[in-house]
């Protein structure tokens, strides 16, 4: 829902349910004059104040300065979590595949079924290796992200430590 | 029924140069840009230039629109003039007119593109578009004018508000200003007086000198001009026989084939024709004056009215009719029923002409409406009052129908023999009370009424009540009579 304010009262936020910008501005101006006429808003807007003079407030405008970094940190941690889960899930399959590989070095005859298992195991090994690599790569960034989140979670009232 | 000055309790004299608008419905008058351009009111001194600039911008788009659909769309948006409900003028009856909107915009844009193709870059009088186009009526021209002049009308109203200390509040006004840079309309907020009869709408006051019923420049005038001045060329070059009035298609064809005639016609209107704004004092078309006088009379002579049974209803109808008679006979309203009302003297009765039945009916219906509205009594179809059965609905819940018919004594319709069918008619319409209110202009007309009364005595009305009430609108009246 679009949000608007006016230079005369920047703390005012006029929210209107309309996606068409022209109509949204019109509705927001109607809201504004209603507030003024009902004495719910003590501001003077100049004669001829146009709907185009409303200032649109976007989601980005409402974000805190470090908000972008927090979002990035959460993304990094989320990536770490996903890769860690994958690594865990594939670990057993990878061990099994590793065991299948040893058959290739034995003298006995390998059946078609065993070949199929071995080839499936390669896929599992590849996936495990990729996930593990991603996890290892994500780890240092995630450390930094963890620190940032800790800072962001610090309560404003909590005593600052030197 | 409520007028601006009444609602704001203004001590106006009626001599004000602005129209005191009726706020509950539109008055059937239009703004004529021709009179705006002639005006000497300082607030409107820049009006002509503003029109020229606006239509120059429109023509620029019209030239682009010859090749671009986007430009045509933009032109149509530019020419979309919503009805300016704040001025309460126009053709609509009741709660605001439909307004020309998109239909007008399309017709007007099409006309501008065609003119652009012929090399036009602007128009001195934009209302001449109407000559070249089908589907543009006086309402459209008036709305376009009011939109383009909206900012000036706002300023003008604010000046009057300041003069009379009228309270204002903030309103969002559509198409308040035209942004020449972006070629688009801006909606903006202004402090203006409120219209209590229209939700969230302000009142914009209009100078009387801008008002007309037919625009000074238009296809009717052009048709008349070419018939009078171009008959030979019409026959020889364009193969048209001179007719009393040309069809719109013919007018467009002539204007497109001979655009120079349109220019000549406009020159003639500007320099030679004696065209004046609509005279509200005379109000030949019964659009304002009589309704206003009736309202003033009812406001100055308030009577509490109600009914909850047949007896009270009878009293109610007769009181209203008596008030009408008082208004005409004793409060000078008889003058409203004659031509040249303001110049009337007793000595020149023979030379004066009474106005038509519609004028008297309009005054009568306005008196009835004013009293009913003042007493919260609903009446069926206001316009019909004075012409037939009227349903009255009282706040007590009591409802009753009466025949209250106003006729002129001089009318050929007031003939003998017509009363015979009246009882059957009243019964068929479930009416118990019937009244003939007869307006008498000259003494000799009383003889006609005597005959009518003799006839009425012979008719068997049974349990029905039928009365004839005469109202003397003569210039040298004998004392009031209720026969």
């Amino acid at each position: 829902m679009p949000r608007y304010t006016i230079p005369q009262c920047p703390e005012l936020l006029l929210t209107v349910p309309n996606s068409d910008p022209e109509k949204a501005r019109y509705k927001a101006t109607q809201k504004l004059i209603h507030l003024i006429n009902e004495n719910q808003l003590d501001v003077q807007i100049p004669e001829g104040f146009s709907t185009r003079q409303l200032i649109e407030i976007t989601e980005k405008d409402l974000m805190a300065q470090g908000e972008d970094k927090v979002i990035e940190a959460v993304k990094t941690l989320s990536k770490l979590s996903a890769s860690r889960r994958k690594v865990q899930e594939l670990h057993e399959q990878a061990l099994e595949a590793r065991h299948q590989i040893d058959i290739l070095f034995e003298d006995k005859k390998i059946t078609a079924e065993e070949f199929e298992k071995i080839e499936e195991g390669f896929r599992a090994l590849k996936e495990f290796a990729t996930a593990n690599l991603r996890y290892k790569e994500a780890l240092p960034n995630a450390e930094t992200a963890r620190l940032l989140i800790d800072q962001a979670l610090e309560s404003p009232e909590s005593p600052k430590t030197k | 029924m409520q007028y601006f000055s009444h609602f704001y309790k203004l001590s106006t004299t009626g001599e004000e140069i602005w129209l005191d608008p009726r706020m509950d419905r539109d008055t059937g008058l239009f703004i004529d840009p021709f009179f705006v351009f002639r005006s000497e009111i300082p607030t409107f001194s820049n009006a002509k230039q503003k029109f020229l600039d606006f239509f120059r911008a429109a023509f620029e788009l019209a030239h682009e629109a010859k090749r671009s659909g986007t430009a045509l769309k933009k032109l149509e948006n530019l020419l979309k003039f919503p009805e300016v409900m704040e001025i309460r003028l126009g053709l609509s009856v009741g709660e605001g007119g439909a307004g020309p909107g998109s239909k007008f915009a399309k017709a007007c844009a099409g006309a501008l593109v065609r003119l652009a193709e012929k090399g036009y870059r602007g128009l001195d009088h934009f209302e001449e578009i109407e000559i070249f186009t089908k589907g543009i009526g006086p309402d459209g021209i008036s709305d376009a004018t009011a939109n383009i002049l909206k900012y000036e009308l706002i300023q003008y109203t604010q000046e009057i508000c300041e003069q009379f200390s009228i309270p204002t509040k903030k309103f969002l006004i559509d198409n308040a200003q035209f942004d020449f840079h972006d070629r688009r309309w801006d909606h903006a907020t202004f402090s203006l007086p409120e219209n209590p009869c229209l939700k969230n709408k302000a009142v914009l006051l209009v100078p009387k000198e801008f008002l007309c019923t037919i625009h000074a420049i238009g296809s009717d005038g052009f048709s008349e001009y070419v018939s009078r001045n171009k008959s030979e060329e019409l026959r020889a070059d364009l193969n048209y026989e001179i007719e009393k009035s040309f069809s719109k298609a013919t007018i467009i064809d002539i204007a497109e084939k001979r655009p120079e005639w349109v220019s000549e016609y406009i020159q003639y209107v500007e320099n030679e024709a004696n065209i004046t704004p609509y005279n509200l004092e005379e109000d030949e078309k019964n659009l304002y004056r009589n309704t206003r006088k009736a309202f003033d009379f009812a406001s100055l002579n308030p009577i509490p009215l109600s009914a909850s049974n047949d007896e009270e209803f009878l009293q109610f109808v007769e009181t209203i009719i008596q008030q009408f008679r008082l208004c005409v006979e004793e409060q000078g309203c008889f003058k409203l029923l004659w031509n040249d009302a303001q110049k009337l003297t007793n000595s020149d009765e023979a030379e004066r002409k009474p106005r038509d039945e519609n004028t008297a009916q309009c005054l009568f219906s306005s008196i009835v409406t004013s009293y009913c509205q003042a007493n919260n009594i609903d009446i069926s179809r206001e316009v019909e009052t004075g012409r037939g059965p009227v349903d009255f609905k009282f706040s007590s819940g009591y409802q009753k129908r009466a025949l209250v018919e106003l006729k002129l004594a001089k009318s050929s319709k007031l003939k003998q023999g017509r009363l015979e069918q009246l009882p059957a008619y009243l019964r068929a319409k479930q009416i118990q009370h019937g009244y003939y209110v007869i307006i008498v202009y000259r003494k000799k007309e009383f003889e006609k009424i005597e005959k009518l009364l003799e006839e009425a005595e012979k008719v068997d009305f049974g349990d029905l009540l039928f009365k004839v009430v005469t109202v003397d609108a003569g210039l040298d009246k004998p004392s009031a009579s209720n026969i």
Side-chain angles (χ1 to χ4, degrees), chain A residues 35-85:
Chain A
L35 291 173
I36 294 173
N37 286 336
E38 296 296 313
N39 292 321
Q40 291 171 20
L41 184 67
D42 187 22
V43 289
Q44 295 282 324
I45 53 168
E47 285 294 283
F49 180 86
S50 128
T51 53
R52 285 204 280 170
Q53 283 171 272
L54 288 176
I55 299 164
E56 190 177 359
I57 305 295
T58 61
E59 284 293 335
K60 213 172 171 188
D61 295 326
L62 291 170
M63 279 164 67
Q65 251 176 343
E67 220 170 302
D68 268 345
K69 285 181 189 164
V70 172
I71 291 168
E72 280 308 309
V74 171
K75 273 187 196 167
T76 309
L77 289 169
S78 166
K79 212 162 127 188
L80 181 77
S81 167
S83 51
R84 175 75 190 260
R85 175 191 281 234

Side-chain angles (χ1 to χ4, degrees), chain B residues 408-422:
Chain B
L408 301 187
K410 71 186 184 77
S411 166
S412 58
K413 285 179 188 165
L414 202 74
K415 279 180 190 163
Q416 278 181 281
R418 290 181 84 107
L419 286 179
E420 280 170 23
Q421 296 102 35
L422 196 61

Side-chain angles (χ1 to χ4, degrees), chain B residues 262-273:
Chain B
V262 178
S263 306
E264 278 177 39
Y265 157 66
I266 290 169
Q267 288 267 313
Y268 161 76
V269 175
E270 277 187 327
N271 303 320
E272 294 169 56

Side-chain angles (χ1 to χ4, degrees), chain B residues 283-392:
Chain B
D283 193 14
E284 269 183 38
K285 300 197 171 172
N286 299 314
L287 298 171
Y288 182 83
R289 181 193 66 174
N290 291 3
T291 312
R292 179 59 205 255
K293 295 274 183 195
F295 173 80
D296 288 344
F297 172 80
S299 302
L300 291 169
N301 301 276
I303 301 172
L305 293 170
S306 64
S308 52
N309 55 48
D310 287 5
E311 198 182 323
E312 283 175 8
F313 180 68
L314 200 68
Q315 180 70 29
F316 157 78
V317 179
E318 295 197 356
T319 306
I320 285 194
I321 294 171
Q322 288 309 321
Q323 285 306 105
F324 172 68
R325 204 168 67 166
L326 179 75
C327 172
V328 172
E329 293 181 352
E330 291 174 33
Q331 302 283 318
C333 284
F334 68 94
K335 287 182 186 172
L336 307 177
L337 305 179
W338 291 81
N339 280 335
D340 297 329
Q342 302 311 309
K343 301 167 205 158
L344 284 176
T345 61
N346 286 353
S347 58
D348 54 8
E349 182 177 342
E351 293 144 41
R352 296 290 171 204
K353 280 190 178 167
R355 297 277 285 264
D356 59 7
E357 195 166 82
N358 185 41
T359 305
Q361 281 172 339
C362 171
L363 181 65
F364 179 65
S365 79
S366 300
I367 291 274
V368 176
T369 310
S370 297
Y371 276 113
C372 286
Q373 283 187 355
N375 289 282
N376 285 327
I377 299 163
D378 280 347
I379 48 171
S380 64
R381 300 167 74 190
E382 183 186 344
V383 287
E384 293 267 304
T385 313
R387 284 166 213 163
V390 188
D391 289 313
F392 294 93

